[in-house]
Amino acid sequence: MKKSLICVSCPLGCPIEVEIENGEVVAVTGNTCKRGDAYARAEITNPVRSLTTSVKVENGMYAVVPVKSSGPVPKDKMFDCMKKINAVTVKAPVKIGDVVIENILDLGVDIIATNCDPGI
Amino acid sequence: MLNYDLVVVGGGPAGMAAALKAKEEGVEKIVILERAQTLGGILEQCIHTGFGLHYFGEELSGPEYAGRFIELVEKTDIDVFTDTMVLNISDSKVVTAVNNNEGLMQFQAIAVVLAMGCRERPRGALSIAGSRPSGIMTAGTAQKYVNIDGYMPGKKVVILGSGDIGLIMARRMTLEGAEVKVVCELMPYSGGLTRNIVQCLDDFGIPLRLSCTVIKTHGKERLEGVTIAKVDERLQPIPGTEEYIECDTLLLSVGLIPENELSKDVGVELDRVTSGPVVDEYRETLKPGIFACGNVLQVHDLVDYVTEESQIAGKGAADYIFGKKKGGTFINTKGIDGVRYIVPQRVNIEGTEKLKLYFRVGQVYTGAKVVVECDGEILSSRKKVKLAPGEMENVVITPEMLAKMNENSEITVRIEQ
């Protein structure tokens, strides 16, 4: 079986063809780099995405501070992660790189702040 | 009157990169004037990742990308005024600005860098029937509400325009619990990056309708729904294809316009296609000592290229301040046969360094050639797998090519199928 994908690893967006036999990836073509190969394999077996959103800040200069997952999370866990993140409030001051949620949902990735808020 | 060597108008990625480059080149007194509360510009609300792949070799979010430059600015003695609105730039390079603390201020500059960025095309620029209920806004406004103010502007959303901001906001609104019903695109192709269609729409099952537009809004106080319709090759709605979609929010992602009010007031000549200043390869406008870079000069798709362009402007401004800027013989560049515009519009044929001409095409091409020509001679010809209006391209001009030109030469870039 053949499956066509568009790589999302970078803005280039390579069209990739994956050949699957008995549920296993036997060939990947169309990618221009190694990341494309890895993306295609993951997309068939366990699709993942990096997650960016925001969390509420207490005493902040702004109402929310942006966060990202330190690594990709399974695609079907994105909304579960969102629920968890939206239940959290951090206290200003916040710095870039601060861990907001450690090992979210036991996925092995942290939720980290991507902007600073010096507070009021 | 405050005296500065360089006044930079705008503290986004363009302004910061230009100021830092000028500092590196030895310019002493530099000030950045920024309208918002902090440096960083539009990157502050672009919390998704994908920034910095070219410049830093890693994938950063908007605030992280901006953060790296803010940190560098803070390490220098570059003065920064935030919450400060520039009102006017005079012919003699007096920059008038105002803020809450200092009131009216005047800065006498030797050189000025214009880095005001761009703004979104609003509803008023489109002809959509209907009254003016709340719930209709640009995608960037919604992005600010959600990502800066922590406020969700609606629950059921229709997005008009499939540029990257529209696509990014489709995902953002969905993640925060809204239902994005459809993204309509007037053109037969999307203006956004393919990866964004995959990870912002396909991932969430949001339909993208090409050759489709919003023709009417419904509701008086609050938006209640929109009527969409298919369009023909002339982009006119096709009678009989109308469809009503219930929604409380309509996001518009229908183009960006460089913000050049200040440039026009001081008499800087603008390019009719880019709506940005006409510049030479040092990014100097036709007004000596006034430079432009970033989205005020041309709308970019990648901030990495904004940084690159702004460093050129910063270097140009420094050379001007030190009286080192080369005079020379300037000739025009011109985009034809599918090439909509070229920046820079003017090139010094006495230049001794390699330079890049940036351009955009008017439609999607596959397997076409980009041909650079001057005085009937082909300077370069390169085949491209894909060319699309949403992606800025460039061609390289070498000093050897320039050496063969004279004051009547013109460099053209065209697409050959």
Side-chain angles (χ1 to χ4, degrees), chain A residues 8 10-11 49 52-54 61 63-64 66 68 75 79 82 86 114-115, chain B residues 38 44 47-48 53 61 63-64 147-149 172 174-176 195 198 203:
Chain A
V8 300
C10 84
R49 296 285 185 271
T52 56
T53 178
S54 52
M61 195 161 127
V64 291
K68 71 174 178 186
K75 212 166 108 175
F79 282 99
M82 282 300 294
N86 280 343
T114 58
N115 206 352
Chain B
T38 57
E44 294 293 301
I47 66 167
H48 53 283
L53 273 166
S61 73
E64 288 174 307
N147 294 346
I148 306 274
D149 303 330
R172 188 74 188 107
T174 307
L175 281 175
E176 291 293 353
R195 79 189 295 235
V198 174
D203 272 7

PDB file of all heavy atoms in Angstrom, chain A residues 8 10-11 49 52-54 61 63-64 66 68 75 79 82 86 114-115, chain B residues 38 44 47-48 53 61 63-64 147-149 172 174-176 195 198 203:
ATOM      1  N   VAL A   8       5.883  18.002   7.518  1.00  0.00           N
ATOM      2  CA  VAL A   8       5.683  19.268   8.233  1.00  0.00           C
ATOM      3  C   VAL A   8       6.896  19.640   9.085  1.00  0.00           C
ATOM      4  O   VAL A   8       6.826  20.524   9.920  1.00  0.00           O
ATOM      5  CB  VAL A   8       4.407  19.231   9.119  1.00  0.00           C
ATOM      6  CG1 VAL A   8       3.179  18.986   8.280  1.00  0.00           C
ATOM      7  CG2 VAL A   8       4.514  18.209  10.239  1.00  0.00           C
ATOM      8  N   CYS A  10       9.608  21.188   8.342  1.00  0.00           N
ATOM      9  CA  CYS A  10      10.092  22.550   8.142  1.00  0.00           C
ATOM     10  C   CYS A  10       9.241  23.210   7.058  1.00  0.00           C
ATOM     11  O   CYS A  10       8.413  22.549   6.437  1.00  0.00           O
ATOM     12  CB  CYS A  10      11.583  22.558   7.766  1.00  0.00           C
ATOM     13  SG  CYS A  10      11.903  22.298   6.019  1.00  0.00           S
ATOM     14  N   PRO A  11       9.404  24.526   6.809  1.00  0.00           N
ATOM     15  CA  PRO A  11       8.519  25.201   5.841  1.00  0.00           C
ATOM     16  C   PRO A  11       8.632  24.724   4.387  1.00  0.00           C
ATOM     17  O   PRO A  11       7.834  25.108   3.549  1.00  0.00           O
ATOM     18  CB  PRO A  11       8.941  26.672   5.955  1.00  0.00           C
ATOM     19  CG  PRO A  11       9.546  26.785   7.303  1.00  0.00           C
ATOM     20  CD  PRO A  11      10.241  25.483   7.534  1.00  0.00           C
ATOM     21  N   ARG A  49       3.057  15.792  17.049  1.00  0.00           N
ATOM     22  CA  ARG A  49       3.119  17.210  16.711  1.00  0.00           C
ATOM     23  C   ARG A  49       3.700  17.963  17.899  1.00  0.00           C
ATOM     24  O   ARG A  49       3.488  17.571  19.038  1.00  0.00           O
ATOM     25  CB  ARG A  49       1.710  17.773  16.457  1.00  0.00           C
ATOM     26  CG  ARG A  49       0.988  17.177  15.268  1.00  0.00           C
ATOM     27  CD  ARG A  49       1.527  17.711  13.953  1.00  0.00           C
ATOM     28  NE  ARG A  49       0.762  17.221  12.829  1.00  0.00           N
ATOM     29  CZ  ARG A  49       1.006  16.091  12.171  1.00  0.00           C
ATOM     30  NH1 ARG A  49       2.035  15.335  12.528  1.00  0.00           N
ATOM     31  NH2 ARG A  49       0.255  15.715  11.167  1.00  0.00           N
ATOM     32  N   THR A  52       1.917  24.249  20.783  1.00  0.00           N
ATOM     33  CA  THR A  52       2.138  25.590  21.335  1.00  0.00           C
ATOM     34  C   THR A  52       0.797  26.147  21.763  1.00  0.00           C
ATOM     35  O   THR A  52      -0.193  26.022  21.047  1.00  0.00           O
ATOM     36  CB  THR A  52       2.787  26.554  20.320  1.00  0.00           C
ATOM     37  OG1 THR A  52       1.980  26.614  19.150  1.00  0.00           O
ATOM     38  CG2 THR A  52       4.186  26.138  19.945  1.00  0.00           C
ATOM     39  N   THR A  53       0.768  26.750  22.941  1.00  0.00           N
ATOM     40  CA  THR A  53      -0.458  27.379  23.438  1.00  0.00           C
ATOM     41  C   THR A  53      -0.035  28.415  24.489  1.00  0.00           C
ATOM     42  O   THR A  53       1.095  28.913  24.430  1.00  0.00           O
ATOM     43  CB  THR A  53      -1.439  26.317  23.992  1.00  0.00           C
ATOM     44  OG1 THR A  53      -2.595  26.974  24.513  1.00  0.00           O
ATOM     45  CG2 THR A  53      -0.813  25.461  25.083  1.00  0.00           C
ATOM     46  N   SER A  54      -0.938  28.763  25.409  1.00  0.00           N
ATOM     47  CA  SER A  54      -0.581  29.745  26.430  1.00  0.00           C
ATOM     48  C   SER A  54      -1.168  29.325  27.766  1.00  0.00           C
ATOM     49  O   SER A  54      -2.120  28.547  27.803  1.00  0.00           O
ATOM     50  CB  SER A  54      -1.101  31.132  26.030  1.00  0.00           C
ATOM     51  OG  SER A  54      -2.476  31.057  25.717  1.00  0.00           O
ATOM     52  N   MET A  61       2.240  41.076  33.537  1.00  0.00           N
ATOM     53  CA  MET A  61       2.070  42.261  32.714  1.00  0.00           C
ATOM     54  C   MET A  61       0.978  41.947  31.671  1.00  0.00           C
ATOM     55  O   MET A  61       0.249  42.810  31.229  1.00  0.00           O
ATOM     56  CB  MET A  61       3.405  42.519  32.006  1.00  0.00           C
ATOM     57  CG  MET A  61       3.560  43.868  31.403  1.00  0.00           C
ATOM     58  SD  MET A  61       5.336  44.142  31.148  1.00  0.00           S
ATOM     59  CE  MET A  61       5.358  44.578  29.440  1.00  0.00           C
ATOM     60  N   ALA A  63      -2.103  38.813  30.413  1.00  0.00           N
ATOM     61  CA  ALA A  63      -3.034  37.839  30.989  1.00  0.00           C
ATOM     62  C   ALA A  63      -2.507  36.416  30.875  1.00  0.00           C
ATOM     63  O   ALA A  63      -2.767  35.568  31.722  1.00  0.00           O
ATOM     64  CB  ALA A  63      -4.390  37.955  30.300  1.00  0.00           C
ATOM     65  N   VAL A  64      -1.780  36.161  29.787  1.00  0.00           N
ATOM     66  CA  VAL A  64      -1.268  34.810  29.539  1.00  0.00           C
ATOM     67  C   VAL A  64       0.189  34.869  29.093  1.00  0.00           C
ATOM     68  O   VAL A  64       0.665  35.918  28.641  1.00  0.00           O
ATOM     69  CB  VAL A  64      -2.085  34.079  28.438  1.00  0.00           C
ATOM     70  CG1 VAL A  64      -3.488  33.749  28.916  1.00  0.00           C
ATOM     71  CG2 VAL A  64      -2.140  34.897  27.151  1.00  0.00           C
ATOM     72  N   PRO A  66       2.951  32.597  26.609  1.00  0.00           N
ATOM     73  CA  PRO A  66       2.987  31.484  25.664  1.00  0.00           C
ATOM     74  C   PRO A  66       3.868  30.333  26.153  1.00  0.00           C
ATOM     75  O   PRO A  66       4.862  30.564  26.851  1.00  0.00           O
ATOM     76  CB  PRO A  66       3.575  32.108  24.388  1.00  0.00           C
ATOM     77  CG  PRO A  66       4.327  33.297  24.853  1.00  0.00           C
ATOM     78  CD  PRO A  66       3.626  33.795  26.081  1.00  0.00           C
ATOM     79  N   LYS A  68       5.323  26.054  25.037  1.00  0.00           N
ATOM     80  CA  LYS A  68       5.416  25.012  24.013  1.00  0.00           C
ATOM     81  C   LYS A  68       5.793  23.695  24.679  1.00  0.00           C
ATOM     82  O   LYS A  68       6.298  23.697  25.808  1.00  0.00           O
ATOM     83  CB  LYS A  68       6.439  25.394  22.937  1.00  0.00           C
ATOM     84  CG  LYS A  68       7.904  25.341  23.392  1.00  0.00           C
ATOM     85  CD  LYS A  68       8.845  25.599  22.221  1.00  0.00           C
ATOM     86  CE  LYS A  68      10.310  25.598  22.657  1.00  0.00           C
ATOM     87  NZ  LYS A  68      11.242  25.985  21.607  1.00  0.00           N
ATOM     88  N   LYS A  75      -0.284  12.988  18.446  1.00  0.00           N
ATOM     89  CA  LYS A  75      -1.354  13.804  17.879  1.00  0.00           C
ATOM     90  C   LYS A  75      -2.677  13.626  18.634  1.00  0.00           C
ATOM     91  O   LYS A  75      -3.382  14.595  18.895  1.00  0.00           O
ATOM     92  CB  LYS A  75      -1.533  13.389  16.410  1.00  0.00           C
ATOM     93  CG  LYS A  75      -1.975  14.505  15.504  1.00  0.00           C
ATOM     94  CD  LYS A  75      -1.794  14.091  14.057  1.00  0.00           C
ATOM     95  CE  LYS A  75      -3.125  13.839  13.398  1.00  0.00           C
ATOM     96  NZ  LYS A  75      -2.978  13.545  11.970  1.00  0.00           N
ATOM     97  N   PHE A  79      -5.452  17.335  22.697  1.00  0.00           N
ATOM     98  CA  PHE A  79      -6.546  17.956  23.438  1.00  0.00           C
ATOM     99  C   PHE A  79      -6.486  17.627  24.929  1.00  0.00           C
ATOM    100  O   PHE A  79      -6.869  18.442  25.759  1.00  0.00           O
ATOM    101  CB  PHE A  79      -7.906  17.587  22.824  1.00  0.00           C
ATOM    102  CG  PHE A  79      -8.199  18.376  21.581  1.00  0.00           C
ATOM    103  CD1 PHE A  79      -7.983  17.828  20.327  1.00  0.00           C
ATOM    104  CD2 PHE A  79      -8.654  19.689  21.664  1.00  0.00           C
ATOM    105  CE1 PHE A  79      -8.224  18.574  19.172  1.00  0.00           C
ATOM    106  CE2 PHE A  79      -8.901  20.440  20.528  1.00  0.00           C
ATOM    107  CZ  PHE A  79      -8.690  19.878  19.271  1.00  0.00           C
ATOM    108  N   MET A  82      -4.066  20.056  26.232  1.00  0.00           N
ATOM    109  CA  MET A  82      -4.688  21.385  26.313  1.00  0.00           C
ATOM    110  C   MET A  82      -5.498  21.519  27.600  1.00  0.00           C
ATOM    111  O   MET A  82      -5.459  22.558  28.269  1.00  0.00           O
ATOM    112  CB  MET A  82      -5.598  21.627  25.101  1.00  0.00           C
ATOM    113  CG  MET A  82      -4.877  21.988  23.817  1.00  0.00           C
ATOM    114  SD  MET A  82      -3.889  23.493  23.936  1.00  0.00           S
ATOM    115  CE  MET A  82      -5.161  24.732  24.162  1.00  0.00           C
ATOM    116  N   ASN A  86      -4.665  24.291  30.360  1.00  0.00           N
ATOM    117  CA  ASN A  86      -5.634  25.346  30.645  1.00  0.00           C
ATOM    118  C   ASN A  86      -6.090  25.351  32.108  1.00  0.00           C
ATOM    119  O   ASN A  86      -6.722  26.298  32.564  1.00  0.00           O
ATOM    120  CB  ASN A  86      -6.846  25.239  29.711  1.00  0.00           C
ATOM    121  CG  ASN A  86      -6.549  25.844  28.346  1.00  0.00           C
ATOM    122  OD1 ASN A  86      -5.574  26.601  28.201  1.00  0.00           O
ATOM    123  ND2 ASN A  86      -7.352  25.525  27.353  1.00  0.00           N
ATOM    124  N   THR A 114       7.679  30.261  26.631  1.00  0.00           N
ATOM    125  CA  THR A 114       8.453  30.747  25.487  1.00  0.00           C
ATOM    126  C   THR A 114       8.518  32.272  25.449  1.00  0.00           C
ATOM    127  O   THR A 114       8.928  32.858  24.468  1.00  0.00           O
ATOM    128  CB  THR A 114       7.861  30.239  24.154  1.00  0.00           C
ATOM    129  OG1 THR A 114       6.505  30.671  24.055  1.00  0.00           O
ATOM    130  CG2 THR A 114       7.923  28.733  24.054  1.00  0.00           C
ATOM    131  N   ASN A 115       8.058  32.914  26.529  1.00  0.00           N
ATOM    132  CA  ASN A 115       8.247  34.357  26.616  1.00  0.00           C
ATOM    133  C   ASN A 115       8.411  34.705  28.084  1.00  0.00           C
ATOM    134  O   ASN A 115       8.103  33.895  28.958  1.00  0.00           O
ATOM    135  CB  ASN A 115       7.072  35.120  26.003  1.00  0.00           C
ATOM    136  CG  ASN A 115       7.489  36.508  25.506  1.00  0.00           C
ATOM    137  OD1 ASN A 115       8.620  36.949  25.746  1.00  0.00           O
ATOM    138  ND2 ASN A 115       6.602  37.189  24.815  1.00  0.00           N
TER     139      ASN A 115
ATOM    140  N   THR B  38       6.416  46.567  24.601  1.00  0.00           N
ATOM    141  CA  THR B  38       7.721  45.912  24.638  1.00  0.00           C
ATOM    142  C   THR B  38       8.296  45.837  23.228  1.00  0.00           C
ATOM    143  O   THR B  38       7.577  46.024  22.247  1.00  0.00           O
ATOM    144  CB  THR B  38       7.606  44.452  25.132  1.00  0.00           C
ATOM    145  OG1 THR B  38       6.689  43.761  24.279  1.00  0.00           O
ATOM    146  CG2 THR B  38       7.127  44.368  26.565  1.00  0.00           C
ATOM    147  N   GLU B  44       5.662  38.756  19.077  1.00  0.00           N
ATOM    148  CA  GLU B  44       5.185  38.531  20.434  1.00  0.00           C
ATOM    149  C   GLU B  44       3.873  37.753  20.458  1.00  0.00           C
ATOM    150  O   GLU B  44       3.578  37.052  21.411  1.00  0.00           O
ATOM    151  CB  GLU B  44       5.004  39.877  21.159  1.00  0.00           C
ATOM    152  CG  GLU B  44       6.303  40.620  21.381  1.00  0.00           C
ATOM    153  CD  GLU B  44       7.229  39.908  22.363  1.00  0.00           C
ATOM    154  OE1 GLU B  44       6.825  39.684  23.512  1.00  0.00           O
ATOM    155  OE2 GLU B  44       8.360  39.549  21.966  1.00  0.00           O
ATOM    156  N   ILE B  47       2.890  32.760  18.664  1.00  0.00           N
ATOM    157  CA  ILE B  47       3.444  31.831  19.656  1.00  0.00           C
ATOM    158  C   ILE B  47       3.722  30.446  19.078  1.00  0.00           C
ATOM    159  O   ILE B  47       4.262  29.588  19.756  1.00  0.00           O
ATOM    160  CB  ILE B  47       2.521  31.713  20.892  1.00  0.00           C
ATOM    161  CG1 ILE B  47       1.186  31.054  20.510  1.00  0.00           C
ATOM    162  CG2 ILE B  47       2.280  33.094  21.519  1.00  0.00           C
ATOM    163  CD1 ILE B  47       0.368  30.636  21.716  1.00  0.00           C
ATOM    164  N   HIS B  48       3.328  30.207  17.814  1.00  0.00           N
ATOM    165  CA  HIS B  48       3.615  28.923  17.183  1.00  0.00           C
ATOM    166  C   HIS B  48       5.105  28.846  16.835  1.00  0.00           C
ATOM    167  O   HIS B  48       5.800  29.865  16.832  1.00  0.00           O
ATOM    168  CB  HIS B  48       2.760  28.755  15.916  1.00  0.00           C
ATOM    169  CG  HIS B  48       2.867  29.898  14.963  1.00  0.00           C
ATOM    170  ND1 HIS B  48       2.223  31.099  15.158  1.00  0.00           N
ATOM    171  CD2 HIS B  48       3.565  30.060  13.826  1.00  0.00           C
ATOM    172  CE1 HIS B  48       2.512  31.930  14.176  1.00  0.00           C
ATOM    173  NE2 HIS B  48       3.327  31.320  13.346  1.00  0.00           N
ATOM    174  N   LEU B  53      14.674  28.792  11.567  1.00  0.00           N
ATOM    175  CA  LEU B  53      15.335  27.635  10.949  1.00  0.00           C
ATOM    176  C   LEU B  53      16.539  28.038  10.118  1.00  0.00           C
ATOM    177  O   LEU B  53      17.566  27.370  10.128  1.00  0.00           O
ATOM    178  CB  LEU B  53      14.333  26.866  10.090  1.00  0.00           C
ATOM    179  CG  LEU B  53      13.524  25.807  10.835  1.00  0.00           C
ATOM    180  CD1 LEU B  53      12.351  25.348   9.993  1.00  0.00           C
ATOM    181  CD2 LEU B  53      14.403  24.625  11.216  1.00  0.00           C
ATOM    182  N   SER B  61       9.753  29.590  18.665  1.00  0.00           N
ATOM    183  CA  SER B  61       8.472  30.298  18.590  1.00  0.00           C
ATOM    184  C   SER B  61       8.782  31.774  18.353  1.00  0.00           C
ATOM    185  O   SER B  61       9.923  32.213  18.516  1.00  0.00           O
ATOM    186  CB  SER B  61       7.690  30.112  19.886  1.00  0.00           C
ATOM    187  OG  SER B  61       8.287  30.877  20.922  1.00  0.00           O
ATOM    188  N   PRO B  63       8.009  34.592  20.093  1.00  0.00           N
ATOM    189  CA  PRO B  63       8.590  35.318  21.235  1.00  0.00           C
ATOM    190  C   PRO B  63      10.020  34.880  21.537  1.00  0.00           C
ATOM    191  O   PRO B  63      10.836  35.699  21.968  1.00  0.00           O
ATOM    192  CB  PRO B  63       7.659  34.947  22.398  1.00  0.00           C
ATOM    193  CG  PRO B  63       6.373  34.579  21.762  1.00  0.00           C
ATOM    194  CD  PRO B  63       6.726  33.954  20.447  1.00  0.00           C
ATOM    195  N   GLU B  64      10.343  33.615  21.286  1.00  0.00           N
ATOM    196  CA  GLU B  64      11.716  33.161  21.527  1.00  0.00           C
ATOM    197  C   GLU B  64      12.682  33.803  20.532  1.00  0.00           C
ATOM    198  O   GLU B  64      13.779  34.214  20.888  1.00  0.00           O
ATOM    199  CB  GLU B  64      11.809  31.634  21.415  1.00  0.00           C
ATOM    200  CG  GLU B  64      11.160  30.899  22.567  1.00  0.00           C
ATOM    201  CD  GLU B  64      11.151  29.395  22.352  1.00  0.00           C
ATOM    202  OE1 GLU B  64      10.675  28.941  21.285  1.00  0.00           O
ATOM    203  OE2 GLU B  64      11.603  28.670  23.239  1.00  0.00           O
ATOM    204  N   ASN B 147      -3.661  35.112  22.244  1.00  0.00           N
ATOM    205  CA  ASN B 147      -2.295  34.824  22.692  1.00  0.00           C
ATOM    206  C   ASN B 147      -1.697  35.855  23.645  1.00  0.00           C
ATOM    207  O   ASN B 147      -0.725  35.570  24.323  1.00  0.00           O
ATOM    208  CB  ASN B 147      -1.365  34.682  21.484  1.00  0.00           C
ATOM    209  CG  ASN B 147      -1.719  33.476  20.631  1.00  0.00           C
ATOM    210  OD1 ASN B 147      -2.476  32.614  21.064  1.00  0.00           O
ATOM    211  ND2 ASN B 147      -1.183  33.418  19.431  1.00  0.00           N
ATOM    212  N   ILE B 148      -2.218  37.074  23.633  1.00  0.00           N
ATOM    213  CA  ILE B 148      -1.676  38.115  24.524  1.00  0.00           C
ATOM    214  C   ILE B 148      -2.680  38.421  25.641  1.00  0.00           C
ATOM    215  O   ILE B 148      -2.324  38.491  26.807  1.00  0.00           O
ATOM    216  CB  ILE B 148      -1.365  39.425  23.749  1.00  0.00           C
ATOM    217  CG1 ILE B 148      -0.439  39.153  22.559  1.00  0.00           C
ATOM    218  CG2 ILE B 148      -0.815  40.498  24.692  1.00  0.00           C
ATOM    219  CD1 ILE B 148       1.030  39.152  22.817  1.00  0.00           C
ATOM    220  N   ASP B 149      -3.945  38.599  25.251  1.00  0.00           N
ATOM    221  CA  ASP B 149      -4.953  38.998  26.239  1.00  0.00           C
ATOM    222  C   ASP B 149      -5.642  37.804  26.897  1.00  0.00           C
ATOM    223  O   ASP B 149      -6.419  37.978  27.845  1.00  0.00           O
ATOM    224  CB  ASP B 149      -6.020  39.891  25.569  1.00  0.00           C
ATOM    225  CG  ASP B 149      -5.397  41.119  24.909  1.00  0.00           C
ATOM    226  OD1 ASP B 149      -4.348  41.568  25.414  1.00  0.00           O
ATOM    227  OD2 ASP B 149      -5.935  41.616  23.903  1.00  0.00           O
ATOM    228  N   ARG B 172      -5.268  27.389  16.257  1.00  0.00           N
ATOM    229  CA  ARG B 172      -5.245  27.994  17.593  1.00  0.00           C
ATOM    230  C   ARG B 172      -6.638  28.049  18.211  1.00  0.00           C
ATOM    231  O   ARG B 172      -6.837  27.712  19.373  1.00  0.00           O
ATOM    232  CB  ARG B 172      -4.656  29.406  17.490  1.00  0.00           C
ATOM    233  CG  ARG B 172      -4.398  30.070  18.804  1.00  0.00           C
ATOM    234  CD  ARG B 172      -3.195  29.489  19.509  1.00  0.00           C
ATOM    235  NE  ARG B 172      -3.087  30.027  20.864  1.00  0.00           N
ATOM    236  CZ  ARG B 172      -3.356  29.325  21.965  1.00  0.00           C
ATOM    237  NH1 ARG B 172      -3.698  28.067  21.879  1.00  0.00           N
ATOM    238  NH2 ARG B 172      -3.264  29.870  23.147  1.00  0.00           N
ATOM    239  N   THR B 174      -9.188  26.187  17.373  1.00  0.00           N
ATOM    240  CA  THR B 174      -9.642  24.810  17.592  1.00  0.00           C
ATOM    241  C   THR B 174      -9.071  24.255  18.896  1.00  0.00           C
ATOM    242  O   THR B 174      -9.786  23.672  19.703  1.00  0.00           O
ATOM    243  CB  THR B 174      -9.205  23.903  16.420  1.00  0.00           C
ATOM    244  OG1 THR B 174      -9.641  24.506  15.199  1.00  0.00           O
ATOM    245  CG2 THR B 174      -9.808  22.516  16.533  1.00  0.00           C
ATOM    246  N   LEU B 175      -7.766  24.466  19.108  1.00  0.00           N
ATOM    247  CA  LEU B 175      -7.126  23.979  20.338  1.00  0.00           C
ATOM    248  C   LEU B 175      -7.779  24.579  21.575  1.00  0.00           C
ATOM    249  O   LEU B 175      -7.886  23.939  22.616  1.00  0.00           O
ATOM    250  CB  LEU B 175      -5.623  24.321  20.329  1.00  0.00           C
ATOM    251  CG  LEU B 175      -4.711  23.434  19.491  1.00  0.00           C
ATOM    252  CD1 LEU B 175      -3.294  23.981  19.498  1.00  0.00           C
ATOM    253  CD2 LEU B 175      -4.717  21.990  19.990  1.00  0.00           C
ATOM    254  N   GLU B 176      -8.227  25.826  21.462  1.00  0.00           N
ATOM    255  CA  GLU B 176      -8.854  26.489  22.610  1.00  0.00           C
ATOM    256  C   GLU B 176     -10.353  26.208  22.691  1.00  0.00           C
ATOM    257  O   GLU B 176     -11.075  26.860  23.428  1.00  0.00           O
ATOM    258  CB  GLU B 176      -8.593  28.007  22.563  1.00  0.00           C
ATOM    259  CG  GLU B 176      -7.143  28.396  22.822  1.00  0.00           C
ATOM    260  CD  GLU B 176      -6.654  28.121  24.258  1.00  0.00           C
ATOM    261  OE1 GLU B 176      -7.473  27.740  25.114  1.00  0.00           O
ATOM    262  OE2 GLU B 176      -5.449  28.267  24.494  1.00  0.00           O
ATOM    263  N   ARG B 195       2.754  22.907   4.705  1.00  0.00           N
ATOM    264  CA  ARG B 195       2.836  22.284   6.034  1.00  0.00           C
ATOM    265  C   ARG B 195       1.755  22.835   6.958  1.00  0.00           C
ATOM    266  O   ARG B 195       1.248  22.138   7.824  1.00  0.00           O
ATOM    267  CB  ARG B 195       4.228  22.491   6.651  1.00  0.00           C
ATOM    268  CG  ARG B 195       4.419  23.866   7.250  1.00  0.00           C
ATOM    269  CD  ARG B 195       5.815  24.199   7.689  1.00  0.00           C
ATOM    270  NE  ARG B 195       6.354  23.421   8.772  1.00  0.00           N
ATOM    271  CZ  ARG B 195       6.852  23.954   9.899  1.00  0.00           C
ATOM    272  NH1 ARG B 195       6.827  25.244  10.111  1.00  0.00           N
ATOM    273  NH2 ARG B 195       7.408  23.191  10.801  1.00  0.00           N
ATOM    274  N   VAL B 198      -1.510  21.107   6.292  1.00  0.00           N
ATOM    275  CA  VAL B 198      -1.512  19.775   6.902  1.00  0.00           C
ATOM    276  C   VAL B 198      -1.727  19.866   8.403  1.00  0.00           C
ATOM    277  O   VAL B 198      -2.650  19.269   8.955  1.00  0.00           O
ATOM    278  CB  VAL B 198      -0.177  19.031   6.605  1.00  0.00           C
ATOM    279  CG1 VAL B 198      -0.117  17.717   7.354  1.00  0.00           C
ATOM    280  CG2 VAL B 198      -0.041  18.805   5.107  1.00  0.00           C
ATOM    281  N   ASP B 203      -5.120  18.112  10.175  1.00  0.00           N
ATOM    282  CA  ASP B 203      -5.029  17.465  11.481  1.00  0.00           C
ATOM    283  C   ASP B 203      -6.342  17.536  12.253  1.00  0.00           C
ATOM    284  O   ASP B 203      -6.647  16.670  13.064  1.00  0.00           O
ATOM    285  CB  ASP B 203      -3.949  18.154  12.334  1.00  0.00           C
ATOM    286  CG  ASP B 203      -2.571  17.550  12.111  1.00  0.00           C
ATOM    287  OD1 ASP B 203      -2.441  16.699  11.218  1.00  0.00           O
ATOM    288  OD2 ASP B 203      -1.636  17.935  12.830  1.00  0.00           O
TER     289      ASP B 203
END
